[in-house]
DNA sequence: TCCTCAAAAATGAACGTTCATTCAGGAGAT
DNA sequence: ATCTCCTGAATGAACGTTCATTTTTGAGGA
């Protein structure tokens, strides 16, 4: 693909992310998508077989970017609890700063598209199977500090509150400021600590 | 409305609940809905102005039924923690036994339909404004035992993990058995207890 | 008990709209 | 001249909604 082609492909993906996040998959017509990307409708089909493939490709891109963003150097100098709170805070900040990505992912997972993707991979390990910073922390550093429990329940206790609150924060229903982020992270830690 | 009319209206709502839960609002055509309810397409429009009104009416019914189901007599003889765990367990069992209702509600809240409905009302107070058993417990009995924090964060810490895990359980990705329910309820309690 | 008939309820083919997708033709590069 | 990429009107399928028609209902009269 030519460099120009790559550019156009990215334009389409960017427009798609915005429209899908704003209006949902079903209320984002290809015509409107083309308009926002400044390409003709037909051109989209040079880069993607159909709308479904576009959605799947977009998921890949967003997922990869998210995983990359969450890689942080470990800071062994502070307590395990503090490390946990740092990771949570980073995660929340990132998703708060990328509401389109968050909305798109939520929509993707809660649709027939996401059925084959295990949800527990959401933030704990990338689609490649490689574990994210979060997954490494939970399985490694923090292992001894965490109460023994089913991995699924552990994930739910950590990720559940984050996604729940972010939904409202991003819709503008709640203001998710620093004190509240701290409250949330502390609560999650108390839920899982030994 | 004749008793027969009421019956038909209920048939339509029941069929709608099933189809919406199975295929989503956008993949549940009125024609298919009519077929499953054993009525003609046109008949649906005798009972509901349009598809949107049908969805809103269905929400009302499901919400009322859920609120009714969650009313439990208080048991002051056991500890506050035990009361909390009981309430959580009841809630999870109810939603586990009513997966269509759960899926429908999730979809409703995460759609333009549910924008005007405050999400924190989900399980804490009914749409009528009357507080549910859960809301009463949190605001009343348990008040002194709970760490002071933003109501939104409190809700997120309690409801977030439940909905997160139930999604996977109802999709068949996880088996949510008694030990895990206990783990989850305990974790939530630890997250919010003083 | 049976018949009549107007109102109510039910029906589903037809309509208009929206949308994803296609493709014949054009523009620009080599 | 040829090839690659782009364009957007045209296509056909799917959908929500309507409405002319048929069927059911039940009150009143014989």
């Amino acid at each position: 693909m030519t460099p120009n082609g790559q550019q156009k492909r990215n334009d389409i993906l960017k427009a798609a992310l915005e429209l899908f996040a704003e209006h949902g998959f079903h209320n984002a017509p290809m015509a409107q998508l083309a308009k926002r990307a400044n390409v003709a409708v037909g051109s989209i089909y040079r880069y993607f077989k159909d709308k479904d493939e576009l959605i799947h490709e977009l998921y890949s891109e967003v997922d990869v970017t998210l995983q990359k963003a969450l890689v942080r150097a470990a800071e062994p100098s502070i307590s395990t609890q503090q490390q946990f709170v740092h990771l949570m805070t980073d995660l929340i900040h990132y998703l708060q700063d990328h509401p389109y990505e968050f909305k798109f992912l939520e929509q993707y997972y809660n649709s027939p598209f996401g059925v084959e993707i295990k949800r527990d991979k959401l933030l704990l390990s990338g689609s490649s199977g490689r574990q994210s910073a979060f997954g490494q922390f939970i399985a490694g550093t923090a292992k001894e500090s965490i109460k023994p429990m089913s991995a699924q329940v552990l994930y739910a206790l950590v990720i559940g509150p984050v996604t729940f609150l972010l939904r409202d924060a991003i819709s503008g229903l709640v203001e998710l400021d620093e004190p509240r982020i701290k409250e949330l992270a502390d609560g999650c830690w108390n839920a899982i600590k030994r």
Side-chain angles (χ1 to χ4, degrees), chain A:
Chain A
M1 197 179 307
T2 69
N4 218 318
Q6 269 297 349
Q7 177 60 46
K8 194 159 288 201
R9 201 187 117 103
N10 284 341
D11 289 349
I12 294 168
L13 285 173
K14 184 160 174 289
L17 177 67
E18 293 171 15
L19 276 182
F20 291 158
E22 283 170 15
H23 305 303
F25 297 152
H26 295 285
N27 293 315
M30 298 298 268
Q32 208 172 322
L33 208 159
K35 200 172 180 185
R36 176 151 344 183
N38 281 317
V39 300
V41 218
S43 297
I44 299 175
Y45 290 86
R46 296 202 67 75
Y47 298 94
F48 308 96
K49 191 170 110 334
D50 53 23
K51 196 177 183 180
D52 280 14
E53 187 181 290
L54 170 57
I55 292 172
H56 281 114
E57 289 288 300
L58 181 55
Y59 167 73
S60 286
E61 299 254 334
V62 171
D63 185 54
V64 166
T65 309
L66 173 61
Q67 298 305 329
K68 274 191 200 146
L70 292 184
V71 173
R72 290 278 178 283
E75 296 187 56
S77 60
I78 56 176
S79 75
T80 307
Q81 170 173 7
Q82 281 172 320
Q83 285 183 53
F84 177 83
V85 171
H86 272 167
L87 279 172
M88 284 280 281
T89 308
D90 279 357
L91 170 61
I92 292 171
H93 281 155
Y94 180 83
L95 292 176
Q96 238 180 341
D97 292 343
H98 298 79
Y100 285 155
E101 281 83 348
F102 178 76
K103 282 190 171 185
F104 172 78
L105 284 176
E106 285 252 306
Q107 204 177 152
Y108 187 82
Y109 284 121
N110 291 296
S111 77
F113 298 115
V115 170
E116 74 237 37
I117 313 274
K118 269 89 158 212
R119 182 171 301 101
D120 60 15
K121 298 187 100 185
L122 175 52
L123 298 166
L124 293 152
S125 59
S127 292
S128 57
R130 186 181 47 77
Q131 271 196 327
S132 73
F134 229 97
Q136 281 171 28
F137 176 75
I138 296 276
T141 319
K143 192 130 197 286
E144 299 305 314
S145 313
I146 289 177
K147 196 179 304 186
M149 66 174 87
S150 147
Q152 300 293 345
V153 173
L154 177 66
Y155 296 166
L157 287 170
V158 174
I159 306 301
V162 174
T163 55
F164 187 91
L165 203 50
L166 272 170
R167 265 205 292 271
D168 288 353
I170 287 175
S171 324
L173 265 78
V174 189
E175 204 209 340
L176 186 47
D177 48 16
E178 289 306 316
R180 285 184 191 182
I181 294 176
K182 184 67 164 50
E183 278 174 3
L184 190 76
D186 286 341
C188 286
W189 177 254
N190 290 330
I192 63 172
K193 74 157 182 237
R194 195 183 271 276

